[in-house]
Amino acid sequence: MRNYVIEDLPHYFEEYKKSIKNPKKFWDKVADQNFVWYQRWSKVVKYDMNEAKITWFKDAKLNITKNCLDRHLSVRGEKTAIIWEPNDPKEEAQHISYNELYERVNKTANVLKDMGIEKGDRVCIYLPMIPELAVTMLACAKIGAVHSVIFAGFSASAVVSRVNDCGAKMLITSDGSYRGNKVLDLKSIIDEALEKCPTVEKALVVKRTNNEVKMKEGRDFWMADLYEKASADFVTIIMDAEDPLFILYTSGSTGKPKGMLHTSAGYMVYSAYTFKNVFNYQENDIYWCTADIGWITGHSYILYGPLLNGATTVIFEGVPTYPEPDRFWEVIEKHKVTQFYTAPTAIRSLAKESAEWVDKHDLSSLRVIGSVGEPINDEAWHWFNDHVGRKKCPIVDTWWQTETGGIMISPIPFVTPTKPTYATLPLPGIQPVLMDDKRNEITGNQVTGNLCIRFPWPGIARTIWGDHQRYKETYFSAFPGKYFTGDGALRDEVGYYRITGRVDDVVIVSGHNLGTAPIEDSINEHPAVAESAIVGFPHDIKGSALYGFVILKDTGAGRQKENLKKEINQLISDQIGPIAKLDKIQFVSGLPKTRSGKIMRRILRKIAEGDFSNFGDTSTLLNPEIVEEIKNERI
Ligand code: PRX
């Protein structure tokens, strides 16, 4: 990234002002000076925020892998692109150079091609955090196929809904995965899923755990066999600026998951620009983001952002507590990590261990530490600052979303003075606005409201795969002319933003976005359940946890309620994944409803939080007496 590195606070304000006054000029320069293009754009941006139609760098031709790999070969071919740290510290870490990564991507692209994958085809990837995950994503990008990574902790039915929604032609998985001392059998999850995925013609299987797996004749192939025979030469496919790069699913407050579509040029420019500035990236840094690549954080800030900048990025297969609760700190010390980017849930769970685990490690290599995915509370912020950053590393509390493609509001290290629990200031090009419930913009400082963004930025998702109407309704209709984030925010006296949390029916549990409606739908499938409502409540480690209020069809039934609770959680686990399990389940005889039949979640939320102080006016409820009953039986 040349010329667009923000140097100090006055420079930030100057850049910010320029970027708002003339966003076209601003992004035109960033794009022009930092990437290789086959052809330049004819127009920087074109948008209609009412129709939710946005294009960036129209008519430009590129391939993101040329920028992630090829252009680095002459200057840093032998430099390590990926440090892979396996689950078991006794297994040796791998250092994959840019040259080697280039070759592996080429060979894999040939494997995909030989298996019939062409530009525009969708390929789902269900892999653990192994180098092949990065390699297959890049191979898809190289060939012009649209990757859709499905987090390898999701259940078979969650895989089915995603694969079928995008109509994937191929699925890439592994025989298994290591998570701490567990070995998970990924292939049998995929076998079960693929029974219900008619569009998938071929499945490629990477060997990792040597689990015994079933291979279906004509459908399943070992990646290694094909890779061995593949040529190392591949002619990169030329992509249009707005050709799809990937689809990534995120929960909505209602209905099935939303396949957020990111396109080639805008995503590339935005992920690269934000990586460089937010992490103060310098050429010899060793950067580590602990997210899973199956989430947007991993896409933008393990893979694309770092490789676009020619960085060394750490991919960690394991978990923070294996073999001991100092694994993160050990890895930082071992690889001399300079930037460490993690989630508040991880910080909180490690902070509850003895401080000796962290204090005994040499973390002096660290320069910048970061947090993402959920609000970071004051205590966690300070623990992170004191024990990990040792009060010398700025904390970048980065606010963004799957939909935004890259970081939107964040301190810039050594530039923006940090403030605990505040994401602070918008990055150049980002125009946050706070709106009240009557759709009026709230001006001035020391205010709170619904967080919207006024003008498009290059990284914004362009649509929901196959459902543009839903995209428009979800993000562009609540506050016409603006992108609505679904979050609430506070703007303090100096204009710093603090994200206060979701204002819709999405709950963030351990940094995972969970829509309550899909969980309710799966609970309601239990034969004993008549109706349910789920809300979030504060949790010490997970940030938020889920509380379910469940009405049984036959309350007098002699069924063991404890068993029922287990069955309900098993159902959720099977249909969505273990992360969506409920922490508390309360059986109730009714749910507070308005006269039009809408569940009053506001009241349920208060009960779940244990705050009985102000339920508001309950007299308009259809069944006000139920509130007392639910309250008295709260768990
Ligand atoms: O509520 C916000 C929260 O995570 C949501 C986006 O989740 P997802 O699409 O899964 O992407 C997570 C990683 C970018 C947001 O709407 N969130 C994300 N970062 C923060 C945050 N809440 C508070 N502070 C943050 N730094």
Side-chain angles (χ1 to χ4, degrees):
M1 280 282 148
R2 281 184 293 149
N3 300 340
Y4 278 84
V5 177
I6 294 161
E7 280 150 15
D8 52 30
L9 202 56
H11 185 214
Y12 161 78
F13 284 119
E14 192 187 314
E15 284 295 290
Y16 186 75
K17 233 188 255 157
K18 275 199 262 169
S19 76
I20 301 308
K21 211 167 148 216
N22 195 341
K24 291 178 192 170
K25 192 168 163 200
F26 180 83
W27 291 113
D28 184 81
K29 266 200 181 165
V30 174
D32 188 42
Q33 298 185 350
N34 296 291
F35 303 91
V36 291
W37 304 89
Y38 294 111
Q39 182 181 300
R40 269 185 61 97
W41 44 97
S42 60
K43 198 169 179 54
V44 177
V45 59
K46 192 163 170 243
Y47 63 96
D48 176 340
M49 295 290 260
N50 293 313
E51 285 309 307
K53 295 235 160 84
I54 297 160
T55 56
W56 280 91
F57 309 113
K58 190 172 184 301
D59 295 326
K61 305 276 182 216
L62 75 154
N63 189 295
I64 195 168
T65 64
K66 280 257 166 206
N67 288 280
C68 286
L69 300 169
D70 307 35
R71 66 162 161 163
H72 300 312
L73 302 184
S74 61
V75 275
R76 48 177 85 87
E78 284 310 311
K79 176 178 173 176
T80 300
I82 292 174
I83 297 178
W84 178 63
E85 172 70 22
N87 177 64
D88 184 348
K90 289 195 226 72
E91 189 179 340
E92 210 178 315
Q94 282 180 22
H95 288 72
I96 303 168
S97 68
Y98 273 92
N99 282 333
E100 189 187 342
L101 185 60
Y102 172 78
E103 185 182 319
R104 286 173 75 164
V105 170
N106 273 2
K107 290 184 83 165
T108 307
N110 275 317
V111 170
L112 301 187
K113 188 172 159 210
D114 295 346
M115 286 274 138
I117 296 299
E118 292 173 2
K119 181 177 174 189
D121 287 341
R122 272 81 61 211
V123 174
C124 283
I125 305 178
Y126 187 75
L127 282 175
M129 289 283 283
I130 53 178
E132 286 81 356
L133 174 51
V135 171
T136 50
M137 288 165 80
L138 293 166
C140 286
K142 184 147 199 162
I143 203 167
V146 185
H147 60 70
S148 184
V149 181
I150 303 173
F151 170 61
F154 274 127
S155 66
S157 65
V159 172
V160 170
S161 62
R162 286 160 175 77
V163 169
N164 288 344
D165 185 76
C166 71
K169 196 166 166 187
M170 174 182 272
L171 190 139
I172 302 175
T173 189
S174 67
D175 51 357
S177 78
Y178 294 119
R179 300 272 305 158
N181 51 20
K182 284 190 263 181
V183 183
L184 308 180
D185 183 359
L186 296 195
K187 180 61 167 54
S188 64
I189 295 172
I190 290 306
D191 288 341
E192 186 190 334
L194 290 187
E195 290 299 311
K196 296 189 189 138
C197 298
T199 58
V200 174
E201 294 167 11
K202 304 237 160 56
L204 302 185
V205 187
V206 175
K207 231 182 205 145
R208 170 64 185 132
T209 55
N210 292 313
N211 276 10
E212 197 146 324
V213 297
K214 277 192 252 145
M215 297 292 278
K216 187 169 172 182
E217 183 78 37
R219 186 195 70 188
D220 299 348
F221 299 85
W222 288 108
M223 176 71 99
D225 296 345
L226 306 168
Y227 182 87
E228 280 304 299
K229 291 180 227 142
S231 151
D233 295 322
F234 187 91
V235 180
T236 307
I237 301 297
I238 298 177
M239 306 288 281
D240 205 83
E242 288 296 341
D243 278 341
L245 176 64
F246 66 85
I247 298 168
L248 189 59
Y249 286 87
T250 184
S251 304
S253 49
T254 56
K256 58 180 189 175
K258 299 171 289 192
M260 303 314 308
L261 181 77
H262 285 282
T263 58
S264 300
Y267 176 81
M268 172 178 81
V269 169
Y270 199 66
S271 59
Y273 174 81
T274 50
F275 174 78
K276 171 74 185 162
N277 277 298
V278 173
F279 296 102
N280 182 248
Y281 170 70
Q282 313 289 332
E283 180 67 32
N284 294 316
D285 286 345
I286 308 287
Y287 163 89
W288 182 22
C289 164
T290 68
D292 192 286
I293 292 185
W295 310 118
I296 191 70
T297 306
H299 280 56
S300 302
Y301 300 113
I302 295 179
L303 192 69
Y304 288 114
L307 296 185
L308 286 164
N309 281 279
T312 299
T313 178
V314 176
I315 296 184
F316 174 48
E317 185 186 31
V319 296
T321 49
Y322 179 80
E324 301 285 359
D326 62 345
R327 187 65 190 281
F328 275 1
W329 326 127
E330 190 184 284
V331 173
I332 292 172
E333 187 171 0
K334 174 175 170 188
H335 296 297
K336 305 218 169 359
V337 170
T338 44
Q339 288 94 345
F340 176 67
Y341 189 31
T342 192
T345 292
I347 297 168
R348 285 189 294 261
S349 73
L350 295 170
K352 84 177 186 331
E353 306 287 342
S354 153
E356 262 173 58
W357 286 113
V358 53
D359 294 344
K360 71 179 182 186
H361 288 280
D362 176 5
L363 306 184
S364 58
S365 56
L366 287 176
R367 202 170 72 244
V368 177
I369 57 178
S371 164
V372 61
E374 47 182 318
I376 181 165
N377 50 308
D378 203 58
E379 205 181 332
W381 195 97
H382 283 288
W383 188 88
F384 198 34
N385 186 47
D386 296 353
H387 292 277
V388 182
R390 313 249 158 113
K391 298 192 174 140
K392 69 174 178 58
C393 304
I395 295 180
V396 289
D397 175 1
T398 62
W399 173 82
W400 59 297
Q401 311 178 295
T402 306
E403 295 85 340
T404 68
I407 296 166
M408 303 282 283
I409 304 182
S410 168
I412 294 171
F414 312 106
V415 170
T416 320
T418 59
K419 175 173 178 182
T421 78
Y422 280 75
T424 74
L425 297 172
L427 296 185
I430 305 306
Q431 303 187 38
V433 274
L434 297 180
M435 305 292 290
D436 69 18
D437 290 338
K438 297 198 180 82
R439 299 177 162 182
N440 299 315
E441 187 175 334
I442 306 169
T443 52
N445 287 346
Q446 284 189 300
V447 289
T448 54
N450 300 297
L451 178 62
C452 292
I453 313 289
R454 199 197 311 274
F455 189 88
W457 59 100
I460 187 173
R462 302 296 193 263
T463 191
I464 292 175
W465 181 262
D467 197 350
H468 193 73
Q469 187 59 24
R470 188 178 178 201
Y471 178 68
K472 202 168 117 176
E473 279 163 15
T474 310
Y475 303 104
F476 297 88
S477 67
F479 301 95
K482 297 180 181 68
Y483 168 81
F484 175 44
T485 65
D487 282 322
L490 174 162
R491 190 164 52 221
D492 79 356
E493 63 285 357
V494 296
Y496 273 18
Y497 287 88
R498 176 190 197 198
I499 310 303
T500 49
R502 300 292 306 187
V503 293
D504 56 7
D505 290 327
V506 169
V507 183
I508 314 246
V509 179
S510 298
H512 301 307
N513 255 11
L514 297 171
T516 50
I519 305 176
E520 288 162 6
D521 291 345
S522 62
I523 299 180
N524 296 349
E525 280 181 27
H526 191 291
V529 171
E531 198 181 355
S532 61
I534 290 172
V535 295
F537 70 100
H539 185 280
D540 282 354
I541 305 287
K542 300 195 242 185
S544 298
L546 298 173
Y547 194 123
F549 298 91
V550 178
I551 308 177
L552 296 176
K553 279 184 185 151
D554 178 0
T555 45
R559 297 183 71 127
Q560 284 276 324
K561 295 225 165 124
E562 283 312 308
N563 280 350
L564 261 180
K565 287 184 182 176
K566 278 192 199 135
E567 286 170 26
I568 287 172
N569 263 334
Q570 190 55 46
L571 197 61
I572 297 173
S573 193
D574 292 344
Q575 299 212 350
I576 297 169
I579 45 176
K581 282 196 202 167
L582 309 181
D583 267 42
K584 293 187 182 177
I585 300 178
Q586 180 180 348
F587 295 113
V588 294
S589 65
L591 293 166
K593 287 194 177 166
T594 61
R595 285 178 198 278
S596 58
K598 212 167 165 264
I599 299 172
M600 283 292 273
R601 287 165 196 280
R602 180 175 53 76
I603 294 177
L604 294 176
R605 248 178 246 131
K606 286 201 145 237
I607 295 178
E609 283 168 19
D611 171 8
F612 302 154
S613 60
N614 181 14
F615 287 137
D617 182 9
T618 54
S619 65
T620 55
L621 290 177
L622 198 60
N623 50 351
E625 69 291 347
I626 202 73
V627 176
E628 200 61 19
E629 179 202 306
I630 300 179
K631 191 180 103 182
N632 291 338
E633 290 173 16
R634 175 179 177 269
I635 299 168

